[in-house]
Amino acid sequence: MEVRYGEAPNLNIGNGDLKGVILDSKGNELKSFSFQEPGTTYGDSPSPSGDNSLIGYTETSSSGEMTVTLPYLPDMQSFSLSDSRDGALLASVDLDPPVAAFCAEYPKDPDCLVLASPSTSAASSPGTTALVLATLFSASVFIAAGMAIWTIRHRARKVVLIVDDEPDIVNLIDIFLRTKGYVTLTASSGAACLNTLKKQIPDLILLDVRMEPIDGWQTLGQIKKDPGFKSIPVLMLTASTLTAEMAKQYNICIEDYITKPFHLEDLYTAIDSILTRKQKLKETLALARKVGIEKEKFCEFATLTRRISINKKILDILNVPQVIPAQADLHTLDDMLVVDYINVKTRDNEKRAEQLRQEINSALRAKGLPELGW
């Protein structure tokens, strides 16, 4: 079990056959909530009769473990999980040790200060930034109780959309990423990619550049124009040579750029790095807002650090001379101007990012919290 910063879950919107109860030190109920068995999925599928009607279906599966995330509440002592159909107790967890360990490490945390001052009354409301506790249950507990479950952690696996018009490449990446624990979606064209996004939002898009009739750069432009899609990180994957003009136009839109041929492990490392950074940003933003740092300031810092990292990689990829050749053509001169522009922007971004880093770290230190490590 662990205690961390995050967005406290809203416990008022769930329903189902599992009942969770948070108890105080005297055994009184602080909060209760319900949710569906994570192994049960409901949906509709087209009728085989072809008459455009839908048939409902239910799927169940069981695997691994399940994670329950709880908001921090003053005087919370234990958590129990039961089957509301027959009242059978499925699991019970003591919440005091992990909270005590967290507060021993971060005594100036506002929630910990509440614990240290019994006369102060405060509570973390669902939906606010606060401490959250993640409790891990073994699936065997539920299986022993005769329940078919599918781990919440399994359902939360990261989804990667692979967009490439070469079926062999798509199949290779698809199989590889599945072995690494990712859920994959595939699309064979830019149009198919956009249609897929209308149905499901992935955690990351692998986008090939050389496609027809809509190439990867055009597809990227369409993704970033849509408010519903623009926050999805995109990793460009191609055998095409990155030009200076493309770098100038699209550098702020991509998370990384990998050239073919590539090693699958290098691709995995790039994907894992992007998604880990995304999660770290989310958790650190919650911490920053908790100590009074403006969201806009933190997001500016996060954006600048991403652009700095991407620009440096792009500059390494671009094969542009540092000194004007004796017989340079107009194309080479244009490329050198673009590289110079990216260099200047990168230096400006580094100065601003360092200024913001110092301001954010100063606020974190004042609360006795760890500084930014990236």
Side-chain angles (χ1 to χ4, degrees), residues 10-24:
N10 186 346
L11 303 182
N12 299 318
I13 61 174
N15 60 76
D17 296 322
L18 296 183
K19 181 180 180 180
V21 180
I22 303 174
L23 302 172
D24 65 15

Side-chain angles (χ1 to χ4, degrees), residues 144-343:
M147 298 174 58
I149 72 155
W150 182 23
T151 140
I152 289 176
R153 182 169 292 177
H154 172 75
R155 294 182 68 184
R157 288 188 302 168
K158 300 302 182 181
V159 180
V160 177
L161 172 58
I162 307 165
V163 187
D164 198 310
D165 58 0
E166 297 184 53
D168 291 342
I169 296 293
V170 171
N171 290 336
L172 178 66
I173 298 175
D174 182 30
I175 294 172
F176 174 73
L177 291 183
R178 286 179 182 272
T179 65
K180 292 293 188 178
Y182 290 104
V183 175
T184 57
L185 304 171
T186 62
S188 59
S189 66
C193 168
L194 297 173
N195 287 332
T196 299
L197 293 178
K198 295 175 182 178
K199 302 173 185 176
Q200 183 172 353
I201 300 297
D203 295 287
L204 181 141
I205 300 174
L206 281 180
L207 181 58
D208 183 44
V209 170
R210 191 174 290 178
M211 297 187 297
E212 294 182 355
I214 305 175
D215 68 24
W217 295 120
Q218 292 171 313
T219 304
L220 177 66
Q222 292 297 316
I223 292 172
K224 295 304 177 180
K225 284 180 181 178
D226 193 307
F229 307 153
K230 66 180 183 180
S231 63
I232 306 172
V234 179
L235 192 160
M236 303 304 292
L237 183 66
T238 185
S240 301
T241 300
L242 179 67
T243 66
E245 187 56 38
M246 288 179 180
K248 180 181 178 181
Q249 185 174 356
Y250 295 107
N251 73 312
I252 65 172
C253 299
I254 63 176
E255 294 290 333
D256 206 340
Y257 187 97
I258 293 183
T259 56
K260 301 176 184 177
F262 56 85
H263 294 290
L264 287 172
E265 287 296 337
D266 291 339
L267 178 63
Y268 168 71
T269 299
I271 293 173
D272 183 65
S273 176
I274 292 170
L275 294 179
T276 298
R277 182 179 183 277
K278 183 179 178 182
Q279 180 61 33
K280 185 180 294 185
L281 284 174
K282 182 178 179 181
E283 294 175 356
T284 310
L285 173 58
L287 176 59
R289 294 178 67 183
K290 190 178 181 71
V291 300
I293 298 171
E294 296 177 358
K295 178 181 178 180
E296 292 73 16
K297 178 181 293 187
F298 182 84
C299 289
E300 181 188 359
F301 171 74
T303 300
L304 289 173
T305 55
R306 180 181 68 86
R307 289 181 180 175
I308 291 167
S309 176
I310 295 170
N311 282 351
K312 287 183 176 180
K313 181 162 187 177
I314 286 175
L315 290 171
D316 288 339
I317 294 174
L318 292 174
N319 185 23
V320 177
Q322 299 296 314
V323 181
I324 299 177
Q327 297 181 351
D329 56 24
L330 289 177
H331 180 73
T332 299
L333 293 175
D334 287 343
D335 284 353
M336 293 182 69
L337 287 174
V338 170
V339 168
D340 184 59
Y341 167 81
I342 295 177
N343 271 316

Side-chain angles (χ1 to χ4, degrees), residues 3 5 97-109 112 367-370:
V3 179
Y5 286 101
V99 173
F102 180 90
C103 289
E105 185 173 1
Y106 303 112
K108 293 186 179 181
D109 174 87
C112 295
K367 296 292 185 178
L369 297 174

Side-chain angles (χ1 to χ4, degrees), residues 1 11 19-33 68 70-81 89 91-99 133 135 137:
M1 181 170 175
L11 303 182
K19 181 180 180 180
V21 180
I22 303 174
L23 302 172
D24 65 15
S25 57
K26 296 181 180 180
N28 299 318
E29 180 180 306
L30 290 176
K31 186 70 180 180
S32 64
F33 58 96
V68 176
L70 308 173
Y72 170 78
L73 300 173
D75 198 31
M76 64 193 306
Q77 182 69 37
S78 63
F79 171 74
S80 65
L81 190 64
L89 179 65
S92 181
V93 178
D94 184 2
L95 303 177
D96 188 56
V99 173
L133 295 85
T135 305
F137 298 100

